[in-house]
Amino acid sequence: MAEVGNELQRHAAEEHQAQTDGFHLVIDALKLNGIENIYGLPGIPVTDLARLAQANGMRVISFRHEQNAGNAAAIAGFISQKPGVCLTVSAPGFLNGLTALAHATTNCFPMILISGSSEREIVDLQQGDYEEMDQLAIARPHAKAAFRVLHAEDIGVGIARAIRAAVSGRPGGVYLDLPAKLLGQSLEAEKGRKSLIKVVDPAPRQLPAPDSVDRAVALLKGAKRPLILLGKGAAYARADEDIRALVEKTGIPYLPMSMAKGLLPDTHPQSASAARSYVLAEADVVLLVGARLNWLLAHGKGKTWGGPKQFIQIDISPTEMDSNVAIAAPVVGDIGSCVSAILGKVGNDFAKPPADWLNAVYERKDKNLAKMGEMLNKEVSPMNFHTALRVLKDVIKANPGISFVNEGANTLDYARAVIDMYEPRKRLDVGTWGVMGVGMGYAVAAAVETKKPVLALCGDSAFGFSGMEVETICRYNLPVCIVIFNNNGIYKGIDKNPTGGADPAVTTFVPGARYDKMMEAFGGVGANVTTTAELEAAVNEALRSGKPTLVNAVIDPSAGTESGRLTNLNPQSSAKK
Ligand code: ADP
Ligand code: TPW
Ligand code: MG
């Protein structure tokens, strides 16, 4: 009897070995496609998925809120050109992640939000399942694509489609809906293995039409006051050398958008950053490389843009053309292919732009840089944005390979102008929406993806949106140094309640708050600094030690301006005009 029992057990075990299930197939499919990291938050029905991913050698970063996990996945996509994966539970977890998915789509970052979901039969009859929600329908308008897998044998296809949708053409956020029942479905292991797809050439090159290249080059050659504008699409595309060659061969001044800073070092002689207003207003031909003419560029018209211009636009999305103003020479294709095609036609005999244009640009630039230098070099107490930024400018100069995360209003605008970047894809910020709360998610992902230190500079308000992730940073012992420019509030910390009542003004926080203690609460290093010397010492020590650190930098609460540099977008102030 005992022998028969053993035999049965062995048989059952063999049969069991030959089986796989939805959990394993999802992990196998991700790994097969080179995805190494998952940013998420466990719970029903994805706890075991997260466990299994970790058991199978994936790095699983468990966050305290899904939005931060989602922001981490979004920026991981930007940094790595592979879709960043965020894993959440159903309904509320999914919705928490959805903001980040929409953010990824808006910014053209490849990301996949994978959420567990309730049973279709119950959801569709609205019978009140645990965390019931029609997630697929809700995700669709916020994503580049949205898929649901119902059968374990389709997991391979589902993941392959999600990867392709995320990274091909204009990158974006993809939603993948995995009902709880799917994860538990079993399948013969061999059949399961065969159902997986290793995606070949997930983001195929898209070559520009030769005549579009000729048109662009002709326009560029005829320009009297040309300008090259580099956007974060150019940073994402990793065509760093060709872009540099194009700028240097043509001798045209260039302007990097915020996240394109460092594509060429900001100290490059042809950088026109410090003469931004002048070049936008005065240029006659503008070559846009992976930058949209959206609000960040005043829609390509109006006072900012001064006199008439002709635009050449390189973009992978054909429908981007003419979205705000007429594009005289659209060049549709991937940036690598387009820039190399243009370079091929530019040749070595390309006449440099007229000297009067270059002189005018660089004179303005030198004048503005000198003015900024004066502001940076003041000694004031308490510190203001500029004096504190002088320290961080030098830190990045000495450590050009670290990632620099930046959010806030004044803390963002001044840092963007002051801090030179030296390497591509190192400046990570609030992006197209100017969204607060990306800070800690970005900091975690930058540390994980690059395996190098991160400096995260946040306004005190901005930090508050994702501040709980300091625990995550400590738990994973990530080399992240957070600096908070603490001016006691949103834009400024000195507003008063107009009624004179006891409630504080809507833009102010607890004065003199000690954010550094939050880091200490989880075993990290906290520092409270009031002088530039203390700030410098604390940040350098953090970079030296690699320990999770939070530096609370006390900034004059009256130093900022309303909305940083976006004053014109406030209904109140624009109505007054
Ligand atoms: P910025 O905010 O820096 O101005 P945007 O996000 O507005 O940049 O623009 C990025 C643009 O880059 C998008 O229009 C997107 O389609 C484009 N893009 C992204 N990746 C590529 C690529 N590999 N090749 C060509 N265009 C790309
Ligand atoms: C998701 C609106 C823009 S900037 C900002 C808010 C609330 C905070 C500015 O204060 P901070 O910076 O960070 O202290 P500083 O240096 O000027 O004092 N909600 C979201 N996104 C945005 N952009 C807002 C609100 C906003
Ligand atoms: Mg503030």
Side-chain angles (χ1 to χ4, degrees):
M1 275 309 276
E3 261 175 41
V4 174
N6 287 345
E7 178 65 17
L8 276 176
Q9 265 177 10
R10 201 170 56 238
H11 196 71
E14 273 171 15
E15 210 168 55
H16 183 70
Q17 271 178 9
Q19 294 285 309
T20 186
D21 59 20
F23 289 106
H24 284 86
L25 287 170
V26 171
I27 305 303
D28 291 349
L30 291 173
K31 286 183 68 178
L32 182 66
N33 284 290
I35 292 174
E36 293 158 356
N37 304 318
I38 293 181
Y39 303 92
L41 204 160
I44 296 172
V46 298
T47 319
D48 283 340
L49 193 60
R51 285 199 183 108
L52 193 69
Q54 191 173 48
N56 279 272
M58 293 185 82
R59 186 141 200 223
V60 183
I61 308 289
S62 231
F63 281 76
R64 304 300 294 263
H65 190 290
E66 290 88 350
Q67 191 174 119
N68 307 322
N71 285 325
I75 208 66
F78 173 76
I79 294 171
S80 70
Q81 268 191 339
K82 283 192 249 174
V85 171
C86 174
L87 180 66
T88 76
V89 303
S90 24
F94 157 78
L95 284 175
N96 284 346
L98 190 61
T99 307
L101 185 71
H103 169 71
T105 305
T106 298
N107 283 278
C108 316
F109 298 158
M111 164 183 175
I112 303 174
L113 174 65
I114 301 181
S115 289
S117 61
S118 316
E119 300 317 324
R120 292 288 348 132
E121 295 82 348
I122 305 181
V123 173
D124 290 346
L125 275 171
Q126 299 181 16
Q127 294 175 305
D129 203 359
Y130 167 71
E131 297 191 347
E132 174 182 302
M133 175 173 273
D134 189 358
Q135 296 169 195
L136 187 68
I138 290 165
R140 213 181 281 287
H142 305 288
K144 188 180 165 196
F147 305 104
R148 171 158 52 225
V149 184
L150 287 175
H151 304 292
E153 61 263 36
D154 291 333
I155 285 173
V157 169
I159 300 267
R161 300 211 71 188
I163 291 171
R164 281 200 186 278
V167 298
S168 64
R170 170 182 280 177
V174 176
Y175 177 60
L176 188 62
D177 193 83
L178 302 182
K181 227 197 294 188
L182 168 86
L183 296 170
Q185 274 176 27
S186 61
L187 190 71
E188 277 172 37
E190 180 61 10
K191 200 169 161 199
R193 199 178 53 76
K194 285 192 180 147
S195 73
L196 300 184
I197 295 175
K198 186 168 165 51
V199 176
V200 175
D201 196 10
R205 287 192 305 150
Q206 297 191 22
L207 306 188
D211 56 326
S212 74
V213 175
D214 292 342
R215 195 183 295 121
V217 173
L219 202 53
L220 214 50
K221 282 190 171 159
K224 298 269 174 302
R225 296 182 306 280
L227 172 69
I228 295 176
L229 225 155
L230 304 173
K232 59 173 146 10
Y236 173 79
R238 291 180 177 260
D240 308 346
E241 299 204 339
D242 275 356
I243 288 173
R244 188 181 183 128
L246 180 68
V247 169
E248 291 181 346
K249 257 188 161 177
T250 59
I252 298 175
Y254 76 95
L255 203 57
M257 297 298 285
S258 190
M259 281 177 65
K261 276 167 68 78
L263 193 43
L264 286 87
D266 281 331
T267 48
H268 194 284
Q270 284 170 256
S271 167
S273 285
R276 188 176 194 273
S277 317
Y278 180 77
V279 288
L280 290 183
E282 298 300 323
D284 66 344
V285 172
V286 180
L287 167 59
L288 299 161
V289 187
R292 288 170 286 185
L293 283 174
N294 56 15
W295 71 279
L296 286 160
L297 284 170
H299 304 282
K301 53 196 169 195
K303 230 174 81 193
T304 308
W305 287 90
K309 335 244 143 211
Q310 287 189 292
F311 288 100
I312 305 166
Q313 184 161 24
I314 300 180
D315 205 289
I316 202 155
S317 168
T319 53
E320 186 54 39
M321 307 301 156
D322 305 330
S323 57
N324 285 273
V325 293
I327 301 300
V331 184
V332 175
D334 71 278
I335 287 168
S337 301
C338 294
V339 171
S340 117
I342 291 177
L343 257 182
K345 292 275 166 69
V346 157
N348 290 326
D349 57 340
F350 189 90
K352 296 270 143 90
D356 57 346
W357 170 238
L358 298 181
N359 291 341
V361 174
Y362 300 138
E363 258 169 40
R364 283 238 164 23
K365 167 179 164 177
D366 290 345
K367 212 169 75 193
N368 291 340
L369 285 177
K371 242 192 273 170
M372 187 197 280
E374 279 170 28
M375 309 238 276
L376 297 178
N377 289 324
K378 280 194 182 126
E379 273 311 333
V380 292
S381 178
M383 291 186 283
N384 63 27
F385 289 98
H386 280 94
T387 60
L389 282 169
R390 175 181 82 221
V391 171
L392 301 184
K393 178 184 169 84
D394 290 344
V395 166
I396 296 288
K397 188 175 180 185
N399 303 274
I402 70 178
S403 297
F404 179 62
V405 172
N406 193 196
E407 61 176 344
N410 294 282
T411 302
L412 177 92
D413 290 338
Y414 291 126
R416 184 177 50 231
V418 169
I419 296 186
D420 291 326
M421 302 303 298
Y422 300 86
E423 293 185 12
R425 297 169 292 281
K426 297 296 189 209
R427 185 182 157 88
L428 311 171
D429 70 25
V430 298
T432 304
W433 269 347
V435 62
M436 298 300 112
V438 294
M440 296 304 103
Y442 275 22
V444 168
V448 168
E449 298 289 329
T450 66
K451 302 188 171 68
K452 288 190 188 146
V454 178
L455 178 65
L457 174 62
C458 307
D460 50 338
S461 165
F463 171 74
F465 288 72
S466 67
M468 192 62 213
E469 304 300 344
V470 294
E471 189 277 333
T472 308
I473 291 166
C474 288
R475 185 164 22 103
Y476 288 87
N477 195 25
L478 298 173
V480 173
C481 174
I482 304 157
V483 174
I484 295 184
F485 277 2
N486 187 355
N487 62 350
N488 294 348
I490 300 177
Y491 316 135
K492 280 173 189 263
I494 53 171
D495 279 8
K496 297 277 176 279
N497 179 339
T499 70
D503 280 355
V506 295
T507 53
T508 62
F509 297 145
V510 169
R514 293 287 303 275
Y515 294 96
D516 48 311
K517 304 239 177 216
M518 284 175 67
M519 187 56 107
E520 287 174 357
F522 302 107
V525 177
N528 184 54
V529 304
T530 57
T531 66
T532 50
E534 287 169 357
L535 175 60
E536 185 182 350
V539 173
N540 281 332
E541 174 55 22
L543 293 178
R544 193 201 57 73
S545 73
K547 285 189 191 150
T549 300
L550 195 156
V551 182
N552 184 61
V554 179
I555 302 289
D556 181 353
S558 68
T561 58
E562 178 91 4
S563 303
R565 291 198 178 165
L566 300 183
T567 322
N568 63 315
L569 294 184
N570 278 328
Q572 188 71 22
S573 40
S574 27
K576 273 188 212 148
K577 277 188 195 156

